[in-house]
Amino acid sequence: MPARVAVLNDPGRVPDDEQIRQYLGASFDAWVNLKETLSGPEFGLELSWHHYRDGGWLCKALQGRKNMAWLAVWEGYATVTCYFSARHRPGLTTLRLPDHLRARIAGAEMSGAMLPVIVELHSPADVEAAVEIIRYRLRAR
C-alpha cells in the first residue's frame, strides 16, 4: 500500500465535497459513487463525520448506532475499512473480489480480536469491491 498522508486534520472544518475533491483528484468520482451507494435505498446507511485527535476526520457508515465501515480520505485516494471477527475470514475470501484483495484478506494480521479489511478507492472497480465487503458486513453476525 502507498504511504498514507492524513489530509483532513483541521478540527474546525467538517469535510465537504469541495475539500475532498481537492485531495482525491481523479479518485473523487469513486468517492461520490460510494457515498451515493451507501446512503441509497439498498444500504440506507448514514454517513457521519467525526474528528479524532490522533487521526483527523473519519466518516462512519452507520446502520442505526452500529458502525458498518470507516471511510477516510488520503492524498489521491480514499479508504473503506470494515472490521470482522476471525471466523469471517473464510467467507470474505470467497466474495467476488479482485484476487489481490482476497489474498490480502487471507494474509491480513488481526488487530486485537478484529480482522481489518481495507479497500483503497481509486476507481469504480474499487467501489464494487468495497460495496461487496460492506454487503457482507451487513449480513455477518
Side-chain angles (χ1 to χ4, degrees):
M1 273 191 222
R4 293 190 176 165
V5 177
V7 294
L8 301 175
N9 295 320
D10 182 354
R13 182 175 181 194
V14 177
D16 58 25
D17 280 349
E18 178 183 318
Q19 182 184 24
I20 293 169
R21 179 190 307 269
Q22 169 188 339
Y23 291 113
L24 292 183
S27 299
F28 183 71
D29 289 343
W31 172 264
V32 170
N33 185 338
L34 180 72
K35 272 187 9 176
E36 290 173 354
T37 300
L38 295 182
S39 61
E42 179 184 353
F43 292 99
L45 300 178
E46 176 189 345
L47 302 180
S48 178
W49 286 100
H50 297 272
H51 186 269
Y52 300 90
R53 284 182 285 179
D54 62 343
W57 287 96
L58 295 174
C59 183
K60 292 180 178 183
L62 299 167
Q63 181 184 53
R65 293 176 49 180
K66 189 172 183 177
N67 188 9
M68 296 289 115
W70 294 94
L71 284 61
V73 175
W74 308 93
E75 187 69 49
Y77 68 102
T79 56
V80 177
T81 304
C82 294
Y83 290 90
F84 296 90
S85 63
R87 66 187 160 86
H88 291 112
R89 189 187 307 253
L92 287 161
T93 59
T94 64
L95 296 177
R96 290 181 318 136
L97 301 171
D99 291 340
H100 73 278
L101 187 52
R102 276 201 311 275
R104 191 178 322 143
I105 291 168
E109 291 187 29
M110 299 294 289
S111 177
M114 303 306 289
L115 172 68
V117 176
I118 302 168
V119 178
E120 291 185 5
L121 294 180
H122 297 277
S123 71
D126 300 327
V127 173
E128 290 175 28
V131 166
E132 186 71 13
I133 289 167
I134 293 169
R135 193 175 283 123
Y136 185 83
R137 172 78 175 94
L138 287 168
R139 65 180 188 263
R141 298 284 177 227

